Amino acid sequence: MKDVAIIGTGGHAKVVADIVLSSKDRLVGFFTNDNSVDNFMGWPVLGKDTEYNKFMDCYFVIAIGNPDVRERISNSMDGVKWYTAIHPSASVSTIHISIGDGTVIMANAVINPYAQIGNHCIINSNATVEHDNQIEDFAHISVGAKLGGTVKIGKRTWVGVGASVKNGISVCQNCMIGAGAVVVKNIDIPGTYVGVPAHRI
Ligand SMILES: CC(C)(COP(=O)(O)OP(=O)(O)OC[C@H]1O[C@@H](n2cnc3c(N)ncnc32)[C@H](O)[C@@H]1OP(=O)(O)O)[C@@H](O)C(=O)NCCC(=O)NCCS
């Protein structure tokens, strides 16, 4: 059993807490820069995210949806043990998979063989990460998003709720793929893409 502290006190933190508890690990508490809360979901707020070093025996997970914020906080926390949170209901292949430090795999997500997932990513509820996908650090595959086989998703890219990426497609770093978009061509220019087929706005 691991002692786990969660960075963040938003909606995403509630779901990450559920994973910790479902995994039979021990939730120690939360960190937040919001001074107005001293407990969250009945667990104590242990301090601001800069005060993590009082709890170095814990494993940490950053439960904040925004990729840039996750990257900033993770870079500021030296020497911590990162908790990789995988909900027991997620279907995670055991064949040539890698899942990075601090990454969160939510309920009913599917991770198929040869998928490589970086550090501090979020694979949200019901998302599908198909065979041979490469998902770089801090990417977020939102609720119900579907990636076909051999898709590449760049660093910090956020694939919105229910969006799809056709097999074999690469999406570069720093993109926002809008909710419900369908990406059918490679995306090489960072930006926001929406619609079917997805286009830049
Ligand atoms: C794409 C997105 C980032 C755009 O947000 P925004 O920059 O605030 O843009 P706006 O809401 O001002 O919309 C700009 C235009 O794009 C359209 N648009 C926005 N999101 C769209 C989407 N997902 N699909 C199609 N069109 C969309 C709007 O209708 C608007 O069109 P208009 O100018 O003709 O009125 C946002 O709408 C979105 O889809 N976010 C994904 C959220 C998500 O999945 N979160 C994950 C939770 S797990």
Side-chain angles (χ1 to χ4, degrees):
M1 181 191 283
K2 291 174 177 165
D3 284 350
V4 182
I6 294 176
I7 313 277
T9 51
H12 183 56
K14 295 175 185 170
V15 190
V16 174
D18 178 60
I19 299 178
V20 174
L21 300 173
S22 303
S23 303
K24 310 269 188 269
D25 288 318
R26 191 169 82 92
L27 179 56
V28 175
F30 294 85
F31 284 80
T32 179
N33 292 343
D34 179 354
N35 289 323
S36 68
V37 283
D38 60 10
N39 83 82
F40 185 69
M41 299 171 69
W43 276 266
V45 168
L46 304 169
K48 298 184 175 186
D49 60 34
T50 49
E51 295 170 317
Y52 67 92
N53 48 10
K54 297 177 191 157
F55 294 86
M56 291 301 270
D57 289 342
C58 289
Y59 285 78
F60 286 85
V61 56
I62 305 171
I64 295 171
N66 185 306
D68 296 314
V69 177
R70 280 201 308 288
E71 182 171 22
R72 179 180 56 74
I73 294 175
S74 69
N75 287 341
S76 72
M77 292 176 66
D78 288 330
V80 305
K81 297 178 287 190
W82 293 112
Y83 183 72
T84 299
I86 302 179
H87 194 280
S89 72
S91 170
V92 180
S93 169
T94 54
I95 303 171
H96 213 281
I97 288 289
S98 83
I99 297 174
D101 293 341
T103 281
V104 174
I105 313 280
M106 295 203 162
N108 296 313
V110 176
I111 315 290
N112 270 339
Y114 286 75
Q116 310 289 300
I117 302 174
N119 299 325
H120 301 287
C121 293
I122 301 170
I123 311 299
N124 221 311
S125 314
N126 266 311
T128 300
V129 171
E130 258 302 337
H131 64 86
D132 299 290
N133 281 187
Q134 286 178 50
I135 305 199
E136 294 183 348
D137 298 347
F138 308 106
H140 182 168
I141 312 303
S142 295
V143 173
K146 310 282 179 211
L147 308 180
T150 324
V151 159
K152 183 172 174 191
I153 301 293
K155 200 171 178 181
R156 291 178 292 271
T157 281
W158 189 336
V159 179
V161 172
S164 304
V165 182
K166 189 183 152 192
N167 58 297
I169 294 294
S170 293
V171 179
C172 69
Q173 62 181 21
N174 298 323
C175 288
M176 175 77 225
I177 308 298
V182 178
V183 181
V184 297
K185 290 182 181 165
N186 290 342
I187 292 179
D188 306 320
I189 301 171
T192 299
Y193 293 79
V194 299
V196 183
H199 62 280
R200 190 161 181 228
I201 57 171

